[in-house]
Amino acid sequence: MAAAVTRGPVAALWRSSLLTNCNFLIRENLCVRTGLLWKRPPSRTFFSDRKKLHTAPVGQVFRLRPFHVLVATGGGYAGYRKYEDYKLEQLEKRGIEVPVKLASEWEVALYKSVPTRLLSRAWGRLNQVELPTWLRKPVYSLYIWTFGVNMKEAAVEDLHHYRNLSEFFRRKLKPQARPVCCVHSVISPSDGKILNFGQVKTCEVEQVKGVTYSLESFLGPRISTEQLHFSQAPAGNSFQQQLVTKEGNELYHCVIYLAPGDYHCFHSPTDWRVAHRRHFPGSLMSVNPGVARWIKELFCHNERVVLTGDWKYGFFSLTAVGATNVGSIRIYFDQDLHTNSPCYSKGSYNDFSFITNNNKEGIPMRKGEHLGEFNLGSTIVLIFEAPKDFKFHLKAGQKIRFGEALGSL
């Protein structure tokens, strides 16, 4: 009797094990017959109080794809760079000079592998989502606290007025918040931080101290003289010399970085005429000072819109440079401009002339007039021709606001 009781559970366990093995062999046979290139790993079965517990095959749980690995690696590295940038900012605040350490080719390639264009388009879609009224104040208050936004300057201070993030980013200012300087020749087109400025002496221009970019790569080939009111320099000269059209003049530049908490619209820095627009599709890497110090020719990698024309002293250009989450660059008078498109050809650019048979003057802009806007912080680069006695009224690293003086004669 005792032997029969003992054999009962053992026999049942043996039969269960036999059935499990038979099922495994049947599955293996089916995989081979259907011509699968891989064999499905068996699921493990455990017994708990006579109940079978099945676990998923390891291959199904941990199935990594190259895209996932690329995004995770690139995103993690971008986060590491963000932390390094923060440490550099702290050193700058203490007055400690930070040595230049440029990124290697593989580091730039790894950073560019992050799908920043896709992320920026997703961010743009998110910005358009209307927030519930009860959620607006907490969300905007968090952003204000994080980036130090001064809402007392906004034309509408009530946070409930802004239906989505996009409207909040593009908020208008009170008329008296940014008085335009009428004395100086060139004013700041936006709020921001001065990264670099000075005279352009070669075809390599500094984006920050010690890190340069190619002037020709940044602006692209010289546009035809038919669109300009001045003659072109001889072809034998360097690209930088070709931009200087009047004897006794020099070429100058100024780089202004717009932080996420800054006023996002930009304005005309002087009285000038816009004759031509050139749009460069490209990457959307961050353009904060830490990254600008790390990646050579950062501005040439990124998507940008170059407006060129002339003012009373010769050549004048304003370039809006895109950045991560700033794929959208809007120029108010250019309805044909569409930035951050899903598909583009590397190294390509699109030209558009505002000089037509019916309009010989192009687009006249007055100093301080609204010109365009970003969705988030980014960079404005001015490159212009002026007499040799032109003087900047700036210091590298200083904060500046739209309407304040950049320089004068």
Side-chain angles (χ1 to χ4, degrees), residues 8 36 90 137 221-222 231 247:
L36 295 178
Q90 297 304 311
K137 188 171 183 179
R222 190 80 163 86
S231 59
E247 188 176 353

Side-chain angles (χ1 to χ4, degrees), residues 33-47:
R33 285 191 175 186
T34 53
L36 295 178
L37 297 179
W38 54 274
K39 295 181 180 180
R40 180 181 176 184
S43 59
R44 297 186 178 183
T45 305
F46 300 92
F47 294 91

Side-chain angles (χ1 to χ4, degrees), residues 271-292:
D271 296 335
W272 65 306
R273 180 187 70 115
V274 183
H276 185 270
R277 180 258 292 160
R278 178 168 285 160
H279 171 217
F280 290 86
S283 301
L284 287 174
M285 295 184 284
S286 173
V287 292
N288 73 56
V291 178

Side-chain angles (χ1 to χ4, degrees), residues 126-182:
L126 180 63
N127 287 348
Q128 301 295 331
V129 175
E130 184 170 344
L131 297 176
T133 305
W134 61 269
L135 188 60
R136 295 173 188 177
K137 188 171 183 179
V139 170
Y140 300 148
S141 296
L142 177 63
Y143 187 91
I144 291 169
W145 176 79
T146 304
F147 296 107
V149 179
N150 184 4
M151 284 303 293
K152 292 183 178 180
E153 299 176 337
V156 180
E157 297 184 37
D158 182 15
L159 297 180
H160 296 99
H161 170 79
Y162 303 100
R163 294 174 298 176
N164 51 48
L165 287 167
S166 181
E167 287 188 2
F168 178 72
F169 294 148
R170 296 182 287 106
R171 64 193 177 277
K172 302 299 180 184
L173 300 181
K174 296 174 181 176
Q176 66 274 18
R178 297 289 186 275
V180 176
C181 177
C182 299

Side-chain angles (χ1 to χ4, degrees), residues 92-110:
E92 285 183 343
K93 289 180 180 179
R94 297 176 188 174
I96 302 174
E97 186 173 350
V98 181
V100 174
K101 184 180 179 181
L102 294 178
S104 61
E105 290 185 7
W106 73 265
E107 287 178 311
V108 176
L110 182 60

Side-chain angles (χ1 to χ4, degrees), residues 95-353:
I96 302 174
E97 186 173 350
V98 181
V100 174
K101 184 180 179 181
L102 294 178
S104 61
E105 290 185 7
W106 73 265
E107 287 178 311
V108 176
L110 182 60
Y111 189 6
K112 293 176 75 172
S113 71
V114 180
T116 52
R117 293 179 64 85
L118 177 62
L119 293 173
S120 297
R121 285 195 296 275
W123 175 253
R125 297 277 182 88
L126 180 63
N127 287 348
Q128 301 295 331
V129 175
E130 184 170 344
L131 297 176
T133 305
W134 61 269
L135 188 60
R136 295 173 188 177
K137 188 171 183 179
V139 170
Y140 300 148
S141 296
L142 177 63
Y143 187 91
I144 291 169
W145 176 79
T146 304
F147 296 107
V149 179
N150 184 4
M151 284 303 293
K152 292 183 178 180
E153 299 176 337
V156 180
E157 297 184 37
D158 182 15
L159 297 180
H160 296 99
H161 170 79
Y162 303 100
R163 294 174 298 176
N164 51 48
L165 287 167
S166 181
E167 287 188 2
F168 178 72
F169 294 148
R170 296 182 287 106
R171 64 193 177 277
K172 302 299 180 184
L173 300 181
K174 296 174 181 176
Q176 66 274 18
R178 297 289 186 275
V180 176
C181 177
C182 299
V183 177
H184 298 280
S185 306
V186 184
I187 62 170
S188 175
S190 65
D191 290 9
K193 179 181 180 180
I194 303 296
L195 294 189
N196 212 302
F197 67 94
Q199 184 176 329
V200 180
K201 297 181 179 179
T202 66
C203 292
E204 291 288 320
V205 186
E206 286 190 327
Q207 55 193 29
V208 294
K209 185 177 180 181
V211 184
T212 63
Y213 64 93
S214 165
L215 187 61
E216 186 170 6
S217 297
F218 181 69
L219 295 178
R222 190 80 163 86
I223 63 175
S224 65
T225 56
E226 296 177 359
Q227 300 180 25
L228 303 174
H229 283 171
F230 46 81
S231 59
Q232 189 172 4
N237 294 343
S238 66
F239 184 82
Q240 169 252 339
Q241 292 171 332
Q242 291 179 29
L243 297 178
V244 179
T245 60
K246 296 183 179 180
E247 188 176 353
N249 282 0
E250 298 290 347
L251 199 64
Y252 299 88
H253 79 109
C254 182
V255 182
I256 306 170
Y257 166 68
L258 288 74
D262 289 327
Y263 171 54
H264 290 71
C265 298
F266 51 94
H267 302 246
S268 175
T270 191
D271 296 335
W272 65 306
R273 180 187 70 115
V274 183
H276 185 270
R277 180 258 292 160
R278 178 168 285 160
H279 171 217
F280 290 86
S283 301
L284 287 174
M285 295 184 284
S286 173
V287 292
N288 73 56
V291 178
R293 188 183 296 107
W294 181 53
I295 298 180
K296 181 180 172 63
E297 297 204 343
L298 172 64
F299 299 157
C300 298
H301 288 294
N302 273 16
E303 183 159 8
R304 58 198 181 278
V305 177
V306 182
L307 301 178
T308 56
D310 55 273
W311 67 323
K312 59 182 177 181
Y313 299 111
F315 172 81
F316 198 97
S317 74
L318 180 149
T319 302
V321 183
T324 307
N325 295 334
V326 198
S328 175
I329 303 172
R330 183 182 175 192
I331 304 298
Y332 293 139
F333 57 76
D334 190 353
Q335 302 301 318
D336 296 320
L337 176 64
H338 301 286
T339 58
N340 196 14
S341 300
C343 299
Y344 73 98
S345 299
K346 185 178 180 181
S348 65
Y349 58 85
N350 305 310
D351 282 336
F352 185 86
S353 175

